[in-house]
Amino acid sequence: MSLFLPLNVLEATVVESSRSNLYTMRNPVAKHPLLGVRGNMFKNSMTMFISEVLYRVIKEGAYEQGLFEWCEKNILLLDAMTEDFSNFHLRFLLEFAVILGFSPQAYDLRPFVGDHYPVVERFMTGSFAESMLIPLSGQVRNEIAEEILRYIEFHSESAVNVNSLKVLRELFA
């Protein structure tokens, strides 16, 4: 069961059933051990949040060019980070909007982020490393995450009710 933790990247043999449209997975193995994530409660909770966002937004059967590769790169990046990763999920959400094809500019987010616009603009215009160093309280970080999720919800036309954000709120308060 440890293979099926949030955001584990698995390799397996997939066999289609001759009697139905179901598939069977055989010999699953973790492609990456993700020791940096699994050994850190904060990173592990972020993977739970990110996996729930992906689950709620990506529709079954939908295909987004490069989505898997982008997700895998971000999972490995989070795994490798040793410090200053508390803003990771915010940067992930903003980049996810781009991958989905919304390609927001900072001013596109203004109606959704309100008073947090200057901070979100820094995320959008700064490098990844700079965005990880933006000092934010846990409360502000969670408000921004909720606002970016509203933006994604608006453009994806689907409810993005992410329950795991409450866990992040408690951990990063």
Side-chain angles (χ1 to χ4, degrees):
M1 289 308 293
S2 66
L3 288 175
F4 300 100
L5 292 169
L7 297 185
N8 263 2
V9 180
L10 302 177
E11 290 181 333
T13 303
V14 179
V15 179
E16 184 177 6
S17 171
S18 59
R19 291 180 249 153
S20 68
N21 290 336
L22 297 176
Y23 294 89
T24 303
M25 181 171 58
R26 294 190 181 135
N27 305 321
V29 62
K31 186 175 178 183
H32 311 287
L34 301 182
L35 299 175
V37 168
R38 301 302 169 224
N40 186 305
M41 176 178 60
F42 298 104
K43 287 183 183 182
N44 215 9
S45 63
M46 274 189 194
T47 62
M48 184 174 65
F49 168 74
I50 291 168
S51 65
E52 187 176 3
V53 168
L54 294 170
Y55 172 76
R56 302 256 186 234
V57 174
I58 299 170
K59 304 296 181 211
E60 185 176 335
Y63 177 74
E64 299 290 340
Q65 182 73 30
L67 178 63
F68 174 81
E69 292 79 11
W70 175 80
C71 285
E72 184 176 30
K73 177 190 78 136
N74 276 282
I75 293 164
L76 294 174
L77 178 60
L78 177 62
D79 186 57
M81 295 177 79
T82 57
E83 56 188 24
D84 298 325
F85 55 83
S86 56
N87 292 339
F88 182 86
H89 62 299
L90 300 178
R91 183 67 182 227
F92 180 92
L93 290 174
L94 291 168
E95 290 181 10
F96 184 49
V98 172
I99 291 293
L100 291 173
F102 309 145
S103 298
Q105 299 297 314
Y107 59 82
D108 296 328
L109 292 162
R110 181 171 261 162
F112 297 90
V113 299
D115 293 341
H116 298 120
Y117 177 75
V119 175
V120 172
E121 185 177 38
R122 286 181 63 193
F123 271 100
M124 303 279 299
T125 58
S127 69
F128 179 85
E130 291 169 341
S131 64
M132 292 300 105
L133 297 175
I134 297 173
L136 298 173
S137 69
Q139 179 182 346
V140 170
R141 194 176 290 115
N142 285 310
E143 289 170 3
I144 291 172
E146 288 174 356
E147 293 161 351
I148 297 169
L149 285 172
R150 274 200 321 269
Y151 173 82
I152 292 171
E153 187 175 69
F154 177 79
H155 287 284
S156 66
E157 298 176 353
S158 63
V160 184
N161 300 320
V162 179
N163 297 318
S164 57
L165 188 57
K166 295 172 189 152
V167 175
L168 290 180
R169 185 176 292 123
E170 292 298 318
L171 286 173
F172 291 103

